[in-house]
């Protein structure tokens, strides 16, 4: 049921339809398999396929053979509690297949300097330990995860241990990064640790005065669930070599978005560093057992400012 084609938001008049639907609040990350989604949407017509809309695991593309089927599903399910999904509200838009996708980009903007040590960033709570493990230990860890089944998302593969996202292993193919985000305050507390294996990358950190990089919910969404990015933010960048351990606590963990650009090469200190065919990261988090009372309410998903 999974497709690899790229979709984008339908542009034009409100009367236009498409056989493809972008469906938010729906996907493996919220406990819904592609098979379950296909079964539900199959009630409105024959489903061609279901695919991940992005790497969040909570947004999918449902493709029908006929536009009329998509129209019926959107009318019946958009914005209404769905009894078959435990009352979950789905947010649905039409989408279309991109005819001429943009080629992969390499970084050309060197306006931001890339640090090799965390102390140069001036961000409280960020630490980086080089050569946290040996090369032999790295190979042993990679072999261990490769013996286990991977769950495939839009652009990467993932494994979860314990609670979902508590102990997470991600595999990023060549050129694939990670969208800007702050790990959820309400779900996880304390420090977050990330061990980089197999390949290097740059991690950019961003602090947005308004708290988030996305505009208000009333703004229309594209197929990735993203909108135009706010330009008023502070940027820092750090180079993560293989076998390095990154820890985020305090301000770095609760107030700064972390982001891995989708690059095939990175520019570090005037040097061009090509990314490997894969990068694997081990991320460890602690599940929160109570409300979040952090010092950064504008970035906290569990409180209203």
């Amino acid at each position: 049921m999974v497709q690899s084609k790229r979709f984008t938001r339908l542009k034009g008049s409100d009367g236009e339809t498409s056989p493809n639907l972008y469906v938010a609040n729906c996907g493996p990350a919220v406990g819904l398999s592609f098979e379950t989604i296909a079964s539900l949407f199959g009630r409105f017509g024959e489903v061609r396929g279901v695919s991940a809309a992005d790497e969040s695991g909570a947004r999918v593309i449902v493709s029908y053979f006929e536009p009329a089927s998509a129209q019926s599903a959107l009318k019946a399910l958009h914005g209404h509690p769905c009894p078959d999904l435990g009352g979950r509200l789905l947010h649905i838009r039409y989408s279309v297949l991109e005819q001429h996708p943009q080629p992969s980009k390499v970084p050309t903007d060197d306006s931001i300097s890339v640090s090799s040590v965390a102390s140069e960033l001036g961000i409280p709570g960020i630490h980086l330990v080089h050569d946290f493990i040996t090369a032999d230990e790295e190979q042993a860890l990679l072999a261990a995860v490769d013996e286990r089944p991977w769950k495939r998302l839009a652009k990467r593969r993932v494994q979860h241990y314990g609670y979902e996202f508590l102990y997470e292993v991600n595999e990023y193919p060549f050129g694939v990064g990670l969208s800007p985000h702050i790990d959820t305050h309400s779900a996880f507390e304390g420090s977050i640790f990330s061990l980089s294996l197999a390949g290097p990358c740059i991690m950019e950190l961003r602090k947005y005065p308004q708290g988030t990089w996305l505009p208000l919910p009333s703004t229309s969404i594209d197929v990735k669930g993203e909108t135009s990015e706010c330009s008023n933010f502070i940027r820092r960048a750090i180079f993560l070599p293989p076998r390095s351990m990154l820890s985020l606590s305090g301000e770095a963990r609760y107030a700064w978005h972390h982001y891995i650009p989708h690059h095939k090469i990175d520019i570090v200190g005037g040097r061009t560093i090509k990314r490997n065919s894969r990068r694997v990261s081990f991320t460890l988090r602690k599940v929160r057992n109570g409300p979040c009372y952090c010092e950064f309410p504008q970035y906290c998903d569990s409180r209203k400012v």
Side-chain angles (χ1 to χ4, degrees):
M1 296 302 295
V2 182
Q3 302 169 319
S4 59
K5 296 179 179 179
R6 182 179 178 87
F7 290 81
T8 186
R9 184 178 56 177
L10 179 65
K11 298 178 181 178
S13 65
D14 292 338
E16 287 190 80
T17 63
S18 164
N20 309 303
L21 297 176
Y22 161 79
V23 186
N25 198 25
C26 185
V30 294
L32 302 176
S33 68
F34 290 144
E35 290 75 15
T36 298
I37 297 166
S39 176
L40 171 64
F41 281 82
R43 299 174 186 177
F44 303 94
E46 187 177 358
V47 174
R48 181 190 296 269
V50 178
S51 62
D54 57 25
E55 57 194 26
S56 70
R59 307 178 185 99
V60 299
I61 298 294
V62 177
S63 296
Y64 287 98
F65 284 94
E66 299 294 335
S69 301
Q71 187 176 22
S72 297
L74 188 149
K75 183 177 179 180
L77 299 176
H78 172 59
H80 302 300
C82 182
D84 296 307
L85 301 180
R88 180 175 298 280
L89 285 173
L90 303 182
H91 305 283
I92 306 175
R93 298 287 187 272
Y94 290 116
S95 63
V96 294
L97 181 65
E98 280 188 343
Q99 299 300 319
H100 302 287
Q102 294 295 318
S104 298
K105 297 180 179 179
V106 298
T108 56
D109 177 13
D110 61 354
S111 61
I112 180 172
S113 61
V114 179
S115 300
S116 297
V117 294
S119 59
E120 296 176 352
L121 300 175
I123 302 176
I126 184 169
H127 301 279
L128 180 67
V129 180
H130 291 252
D131 296 315
F132 184 78
I133 61 173
T134 66
D136 288 343
E137 289 170 332
E138 176 185 36
Q139 293 306 312
L141 285 171
L142 291 172
V145 295
D146 283 337
E147 290 178 353
R148 299 179 60 88
W150 291 89
K151 178 190 294 184
R152 185 169 296 279
L153 300 182
K155 295 183 179 180
R156 59 189 168 104
R157 298 193 302 173
V158 65
Q159 295 180 16
H160 297 288
Y161 297 81
Y163 289 99
E164 190 140 320
F165 296 105
L166 169 62
Y167 171 20
E168 179 183 18
V169 181
N170 285 284
E171 180 192 59
Y172 301 90
F174 178 51
V176 173
L178 187 65
S179 298
H181 70 284
I182 296 176
D183 283 43
T184 311
H185 289 207
S186 60
F188 307 108
E189 65 176 337
S191 300
I192 294 172
F193 299 90
S194 181
L195 176 65
S196 295
L197 304 180
C201 74
I202 284 176
M203 175 177 283
E204 186 172 314
L205 295 108
R206 299 179 174 187
K207 190 174 184 181
Y208 295 87
Q210 78 279 20
T212 179
W213 71 301
L214 297 178
L216 296 174
S218 58
T219 306
S220 60
I221 327 172
D222 67 13
V223 71
K224 293 182 180 180
E226 300 173 358
T227 51
S228 298
E229 188 177 331
C230 167
S231 60
N232 181 24
F233 59 89
I234 304 169
R235 298 172 67 195
R236 300 286 187 270
I238 190 167
F239 178 61
L240 304 180
R243 301 187 297 279
S244 63
M245 173 69 83
L246 179 75
S247 71
L248 302 174
S249 62
E251 181 179 324
R253 180 266 185 270
Y254 289 112
W256 288 74
H257 288 65
H258 51 279
Y259 160 53
I260 299 176
H262 298 272
H263 291 169
K264 293 184 177 179
I265 62 172
D266 293 310
I267 309 299
V268 182
R271 295 184 299 127
T272 298
I273 299 177
K274 184 178 179 179
R275 295 196 185 175
N276 287 7
S277 59
R278 71 187 303 210
R279 173 178 172 267
V280 176
S281 69
F282 283 61
T283 303
L284 290 83
R285 307 176 179 90
K286 181 180 179 182
V287 173
R288 182 179 294 279
N289 294 316
C292 178
Y293 297 109
C294 68
E295 300 176 6
F296 310 96
Q298 70 271 37
Y299 306 97
C300 187
D301 65 298
S302 63
R303 287 185 286 172
K304 295 180 179 180
V305 180

